[in-house]
Amino acid sequence: KAGVTQTPRYLIKTRGQQVTLSCSPISGHRSVSWYQQTPGQGLQFLFEYFSETQRNKGNFPGRFSGRQFSNSRSEMNVSTLELGDSALYLCASSIQGSSYSEQFFGPGTRLTVL
Amino acid sequence: EDQVTQSPEALRLQEGESSSLNCSYTVSGLRGLFWYRQDPGKGPEFLFTLYSAGEEKEKERLKATLTKKESFLHITAPKPEDSATYLCAVLQTSGSRLTFGEGTQLTVNP
């Protein structure tokens, strides 16, 4: 069974630009969560999507947004990039039925903002 | 607000030298506590889920335990390939988001 895939793996952008990251969950998984990982803050929750609806949101500014498609694939977008947005962005998928199930992570997208 | 604190921040062991990593947590209603392993440049790899105090789970050289305030990840006779950052995360009963600790960076020397 294929794992969670994320594209692209690496990105270099400049301040003010916007970026879109993509995540394909494990087949059959309906929930996708996004996290930002930095050396100083660790793993911070961005948002979670389930059946194309945002179910939960972390404490990030509105420049960070996401969506989920009918096939459970998800994208996150960051507009007006700042230097502090440089991080590893991780996507995790889970089955998420009526009870919680474990989250499985992808390899991440390394974003560098210059 | 949920809080997860892991200690130590870094740990160096000799191959075969057993030790434990600690994860203490404050959460309003624990739904589950999760351990992950993360290698450099990769996403976290799921290890264990613990749901209630007294629960224990084992996988090869790793054993995770849970009390009402903390969890331990015991590593028995570690090998160099066990070197990684070990992350602990909690899920509260009212949500679906994980709150992670900062991790413990483990290095096992041959």
Side-chain angles (χ1 to χ4, degrees), chain B residues 56-72:
Chain B
E56 299 182 351
K57 287 194 176 172
E58 285 188 69
K59 179 181 178 181
E60 296 180 356
R61 295 176 292 283
L62 300 177
K63 178 180 176 181
T65 62
L66 181 65
T67 72
K68 289 187 178 179
K69 294 183 179 180
E70 58 191 350
S71 176
F72 291 93

Side-chain angles (χ1 to χ4, degrees), chain B residues 2 8 12 18 26 29 36 50 53 55 58 63 68-69:
Chain B
D2 300 349
R12 284 187 173 273
S18 301
T26 304
Y36 286 85
L50 301 166
E55 190 174 359
E58 285 188 69
K63 178 180 176 181
K68 289 187 178 179
K69 294 183 179 180

Side-chain angles (χ1 to χ4, degrees), chain A residues 49-84:
Chain A
Y49 287 87
F50 179 75
S51 293
E52 302 179 66
T53 301
Q54 187 180 88
R55 190 158 68 171
N56 212 335
K57 189 176 189 304
N59 298 324
F60 279 81
R63 300 185 297 107
F64 292 83
S65 63
R67 58 177 176 169
Q68 186 180 34
F69 302 95
S70 58
N71 62 357
S72 294
R73 190 177 71 85
S74 177
E75 289 181 347
M76 69 163 279
N77 184 78
V78 188
S79 62
T80 319
L81 284 166
E82 301 177 359
L83 295 178

Side-chain angles (χ1 to χ4, degrees), chain B:
Chain B
E1 185 177 316
D2 300 349
Q3 280 198 317
V4 180
T5 303
Q6 292 188 245
S7 61
E9 289 184 13
L11 181 63
R12 284 187 173 273
L13 300 173
Q14 288 298 122
E15 185 172 2
E17 179 186 2
S18 301
S19 188
S20 296
L21 313 182
N22 177 264
C23 170
S24 62
Y25 62 90
T26 304
V27 63
S28 54
L30 180 71
R31 191 170 178 185
L33 184 140
F34 305 85
W35 283 98
Y36 286 85
R37 167 195 169 127
Q38 187 174 25
D39 293 298
K42 296 187 176 181
E45 174 190 346
F46 171 74
L47 293 173
F48 303 110
T49 308
L50 301 166
Y51 292 104
S52 57
E55 190 174 359
E56 299 182 351
K57 287 194 176 172
E58 285 188 69
K59 179 181 178 181
E60 296 180 356
R61 295 176 292 283
L62 300 177
K63 178 180 176 181
T65 62
L66 181 65
T67 72
K68 289 187 178 179
K69 294 183 179 180
E70 58 191 350
S71 176
F72 291 93
L73 184 65
H74 308 277
I75 303 176
T76 302
K79 298 182 178 181
E81 53 262 42
D82 295 323
S83 297
T85 295
Y86 290 85
L87 297 164
C88 164
V90 297
L91 176 73
Q92 63 169 230
T93 52
S94 60
S96 57
R97 58 197 274 182
L98 293 176
T99 299
F100 280 85
E102 294 277 345
T104 293
Q105 186 174 1
L106 174 66
T107 304
V108 182
N109 296 314

Side-chain angles (χ1 to χ4, degrees), chain A residues 10-26:
Chain A
Y10 301 92
L11 265 178
I12 299 176
K13 293 286 186 178
T14 57
R15 278 180 301 175
Q17 287 186 308
Q18 76 166 25
V19 66
T20 299
L21 313 181
S22 180
C23 171
S24 292
I26 294 171

